[in-house]
Amino acid sequence: MTSVLIIGAGIGGIATAARLAKKGFTVTLLEKNEQPGGRCGVMVKDGHRFDTGATIFLMPELYKKTFADLGLSLDEELDLQRIDPTYQIFFSDGTKLMLSSDLNFMQTQLEGIEVGSFGNFLRYLNEGYYNYRKSLDNLVEKESTSLFDVLNFENIKLFIKSKALLNHYKHVGKYFQDPRLKIAFTFQNMYMGLNPFEAPAIYSLLQYTELADGLWYPKGGMYSIVESLVNKAQEYGVELVFNAEVKQLNVTNGGVNGLTLANGQQLDADLVVANADLPYVYDRLLPDKRLADNVQKKKFGCSTIMFYWAIDQKYPQLSPHNLFMASEESDGFDPVFKDLTIPENPNFYVHSPVQVDGSLAPPGQDSLVVAIPVGHLDSSTNHNWNAQKERCKQFVINRLQRIVGEDFVEHIKFEKSYTPKDWRDRYNLVKGATHGLSHALSQMGYFRPPNRHPRYKNLYFVGASTHPGTGIPTVLVSAKLTTDRILRDFEIFD
């Protein structure tokens, strides 16, 4: 039987392991940390349960395809509840907007901000539908191994019609004039680690899928996805090994024949799949420094400062997903993406899971997750991250107290936090970039590092920094594309 070593038990590694084991491969899944999930981790203490990474479940059709391929029903495996309104946005001037699939509700809100904006909103969603459907069919779910895979007739037509070469924020100005509405329909670019003021307009697909396909929440939190996939992988015979950090890949005769763990143990295999951060693998686990340097020169997405707060009461003023804007203009984003720092007044996101699932905290309490986009680590900056973390914490608390009450800070029972250095050290994320390589147009499709190493033909990649990109749904697609490539290479067919 063909033996496989998979480095990293993130979502991509687990899904790939399950797919390969189902096809008859002997799979060992190695995880550096003490639990599976990677960035989609979980933290549990005193009855409080926090998702440490992703808190947003969107693009359900991509989840359904993965679960179905593994012999599972998404609806039976996960207890999904639709979240509507999807977001509550608190603008800098004190006004707010609740994004919803309820068109009457949206009409009332939008027209109250900008007369005539509702009709433009419908036209914007129609554009997003085209971008979403065509992008999935032509780019996301297709392998991209040659330039022709990107620059064929269908994709050129897609790039033109989707305004892929246009700036998203400027393009949305054709639909809305009010800065609040412009940012309300572009901030979703942050899902990809992108600046809304620099991202390509094709990403209007994100706003469409949120409102049309919906935002959902699995009971028990996003980590329930990890638990379900791990159970299936083990059912197919995957061996999971935790606290197993990989020191190097063992290279020979134009391929890899295994790896060496940090404790010195050597493991052999017919092929290796790396779910560890791709730039880290190139830089730290492989000997070719020229290729590693080429990857390091690419653009990286932003990082985040995270707070996980156990709160001894529940705040009805919050929704499951809340966005607090300190600025609707570029000065709220450019410091993060251009200067690799933190705005003086940062924008931030608050997740209140008990608004939809009371099991994630003791009765009447909450497990808040706060995410603040910040610049990734870079040698040109020399931040004192502990000091920056405290500054951000105080800013968030001051802002929240204006919404939920002046005594908010007194209700924090305990706190955990991550800075870019924590992301780097715990998950081996190069530059602490939580989204991996950037999704700039120059790093999409064929221009993104491929799912198979160009030199070592039995070394494969899955995850955020390879094709098609970051985010749980697209990483699940990455797992399928990587598995399909392996099956072709090893001439295993249904």
Side-chain angles (χ1 to χ4, degrees), residues 44-49 310 361-362 365 413-414:
V44 181
K45 181 180 178 181
D46 298 341
H48 292 270
R49 182 178 171 104
Q365 302 187 33
K413 297 163 59 180
F414 66 82

Side-chain angles (χ1 to χ4, degrees), residues 18 21-22 70-72 77 227-240:
K22 184 185 178 189
L70 295 175
L72 299 170
E77 284 292 311
E227 293 170 329
S228 179
L229 291 175
V230 165
N231 289 339
K232 196 62 182 179
Q234 291 179 317
E235 181 183 317
Y236 283 133
V238 174
E239 179 187 6
L240 275 80

Side-chain angles (χ1 to χ4, degrees), residues 47 217 219-220 314 353-367:
Y217 196 77
K219 185 174 176 59
K314 178 179 176 180
V354 300
Q355 307 294 335
V356 67
D357 184 358
S359 72
L360 300 178
Q365 302 187 33
D366 207 344
S367 302

